[in-house]
Amino acid sequence: MQMESNGQETVCWEGGQGLPWSDPAPPYAGHWGVQVLNTALRLGGVKAGLRLEAIVETCERATGLHDWGGEDYLARLRLSVECISAGPPLSPLGQLSASIVLRWYATNRLRIVDWVRRHPEVRSIPVVKPIFILGWFRTGTTNLQTLLGLDPNHRVPECWELSYPVSEHANPRRDRKRRSRKIANTLRLANWVAPEQKYAHEIRAENPEECFFLLANSAVSVPQIMSFQGYEYARELLRQDLSVPYQELRLQYQILASQRTAGQWVMKRPFHLWNLDALLAAFPDARIIQTHRTAAKAVPSVCSLSAIMSRPFAERFMPARHGAFFREFCREGIERAMTVRKTLSPSQIVDVRLDDLKRDPIGTARSIYRHFDLEWDEAHMSARIGQHLRDQKRRAMGQEGKHTYSPEQFGLTAAGLHAEFQDYESTFLHEPSSCD
């Protein structure tokens, strides 16, 4: 057992888990609407049904399907349920939301397995040299994917198709409208529960988004980590062999390509950093972009984003425990990725610093194209990126709120983070970037 002081409290570490003995932060009850809803759910005695058997039965009845595509999936789904039940207590709204999320992705799973059974030819659709953007959360992965997605030769997956990867109507226009409307309704509800989230990371139905939606269909759930304080769940995932879920990720991109032609895929998901070995086993010719930012900025930022998403669902949110987890989790991500990077050819991976991306987005994009030997249309891409940046600035000026945070909010300090991640920062942030 180890003990250390983080400046605000004493934290006990045992078995890799940060367990605060105390946390001075007051309970967070959410805005008045969330408080009213939680009270109503308590008084109504609503049961969320966080049992594997209940989820399986409900989804099978709703779809008329029963093939889950393997026992390994149900084992991972059971892990999700057990970790939620044994983890930090959720409020009634949190329990209900967790139940809805688990059923959403489980229903997707049944439909995916059924669709592939009826369309086995989808497995032959090529996925050639896809680009994956990964790195710590809050290191510019979203901004970079958006910039690269401005190239008409690139196929960037959008939120509506990632949320529901199986077609729901024979007419492509109606199908897109139907799936877009479903996720838009979900996002409106999420924004009502946590309105501050749009200032940290806004999700829209038509915007490019990340692979977490698709991996959740294999019961590998980043939303559980980010929204339901899934600390032990995250650790359990890191102990698992995720090669099958990543093969299923490839299959889901083949499904999306069958619906809308794919050229050069450009995907992103920070969590791939923790599972780079499984990603490369499924996509051996993948081209990797790893984004970088100082720990003193990235770690508190992801703590803040996850706190915004978690607090409305928690009976009691403990900031210091949250900070201790993400500090540990980010360290694990870097160490795992560095082990895998040693096996890669330098031509297969390029590093991008967030500061460089902000300072010179066109130059950064141009360097990525040069590194991967992609065709760069100077006039076209410069004009598109310039217009995007002007639109982005205009939207920011009209935005009422702002994402603000500090390390101290989560029992951390900038000096402590710099000292802990000095080896990482000296490697990727103090030397000339490979994009230079």
Side-chain angles (χ1 to χ4, degrees), residues 25 58 355:
T58 301
D355 285 346

Side-chain angles (χ1 to χ4, degrees), residues 115-348:
W115 196 91
V116 173
R117 179 185 59 81
R118 291 184 289 107
H119 302 276
E121 69 280 2
V122 73
R123 295 182 181 273
S124 64
I125 295 176
V127 181
V128 180
K129 294 184 177 180
I131 295 173
F132 283 94
I133 305 168
L134 51 86
W136 279 344
F137 299 92
R138 314 301 292 167
T139 57
T141 57
T142 298
N143 289 341
L144 185 55
Q145 184 192 37
T146 300
L147 288 187
L148 298 184
L150 297 173
D151 188 331
N153 295 316
H154 289 174
R155 171 74 155 87
V156 179
E158 296 177 1
C159 184
W160 63 272
E161 59 183 334
L162 292 169
S163 303
Y164 301 98
V166 174
S167 298
E168 299 184 9
H169 197 284
N171 183 299
R173 182 177 297 179
R174 291 185 179 181
D175 176 58
R176 177 169 183 156
K177 185 176 181 180
R178 178 177 296 182
R179 287 194 274 172
S180 295
R181 183 169 59 246
K182 286 171 65 175
I183 187 59
N185 290 337
T186 300
L187 294 175
R188 274 193 288 271
L189 180 59
N191 288 333
W192 177 81
V193 171
E196 316 99 293
Q197 182 178 334
K198 61 179 175 289
Y199 305 128
H201 178 74
E202 185 175 21
I203 301 178
R204 293 177 178 267
E206 305 292 332
N207 280 6
E209 262 303 331
E210 60 185 76
C211 310
F212 81 77
F213 291 95
L214 299 185
L215 276 171
N217 297 330
S218 296
V220 177
S221 178
V222 168
Q224 185 162 332
I225 299 171
M226 296 294 286
S227 299
F228 302 114
Q229 300 180 85
Y231 310 132
E232 188 55 31
Y233 174 72
R235 298 183 183 102
E236 287 293 334
L237 283 184
L238 295 181
R239 299 181 186 115
Q240 298 214 352
D241 178 1
L242 298 184
S243 56
V244 171
Y246 271 88
Q247 290 291 341
E248 293 172 349
L249 175 65
R250 183 185 184 93
L251 178 59
Q252 290 183 78
Y253 275 115
Q254 291 172 310
I255 292 173
L256 297 186
S258 73
Q259 301 166 13
R260 191 158 61 95
T261 304
Q264 172 66 65
W265 278 109
V266 179
M267 302 95 139
K268 77 104 175 175
R269 189 193 190 206
F271 191 61
H272 294 323
L273 181 76
W274 284 257
N275 301 283
L276 190 52
D277 53 348
L279 175 71
L280 290 167
F283 303 89
D285 61 347
R287 291 180 278 199
I288 307 299
I289 304 173
Q290 184 174 344
T291 55
H292 302 280
R293 189 183 189 187
T294 63
K297 293 181 179 178
V299 176
S301 184
V302 69
C303 287
S304 177
L305 174 61
S306 180
I308 290 169
M309 299 163 68
S310 298
R311 288 180 306 184
F313 300 139
E315 282 286 20
R316 180 176 179 83
F317 180 78
M318 302 175 74
R321 176 172 56 183
H322 211 62
F325 164 74
F326 275 107
R327 184 183 64 186
E328 168 200 347
F329 195 54
C330 288
R331 165 56 64 186
E332 183 76 13
I334 284 297
E335 291 178 352
R336 288 166 66 103
M338 290 304 295
T339 299
V340 179
R341 282 183 61 132
K342 294 175 183 176
T343 68
L344 292 181
S345 164
S347 64
Q348 196 173 357

Side-chain angles (χ1 to χ4, degrees), residues 25-102:
Y28 176 88
H31 60 72
W32 69 269
V34 169
Q35 296 178 50
V36 169
L37 184 53
N38 267 319
T39 299
L41 291 172
R42 284 192 179 93
L43 292 175
V46 173
K47 301 294 183 182
L50 276 178
R51 295 184 303 108
L52 177 66
E53 294 74 18
I55 293 169
V56 168
E57 180 183 352
T58 301
C59 295
E60 289 184 350
R61 186 170 60 247
T63 61
L65 302 171
H66 305 278
D67 185 357
W68 293 94
E71 290 298 319
D72 62 314
Y73 168 78
L74 291 176
R76 286 193 301 276
L77 183 59
R78 181 180 296 278
L79 174 66
S80 289
V81 173
E82 290 176 349
C83 284
I84 289 176
S85 299
L90 299 178
S91 66
L93 177 59
Q95 295 174 43
L96 180 62
S97 298
S99 177
I100 290 171
V101 168
L102 290 173

Side-chain angles (χ1 to χ4, degrees), residues 143 146-147 150 202 204 207 361 382-399:
N143 289 341
T146 300
L147 288 187
L150 297 173
E202 185 175 21
R204 293 177 178 267
N207 280 6
S382 295
R384 282 203 163 204
I385 292 175
Q387 184 60 53
H388 166 73
L389 295 174
R390 288 190 290 273
D391 292 343
Q392 191 178 52
K393 184 176 181 179
R394 185 164 54 250
R395 286 193 297 271
M397 290 176 62
Q399 189 170 282

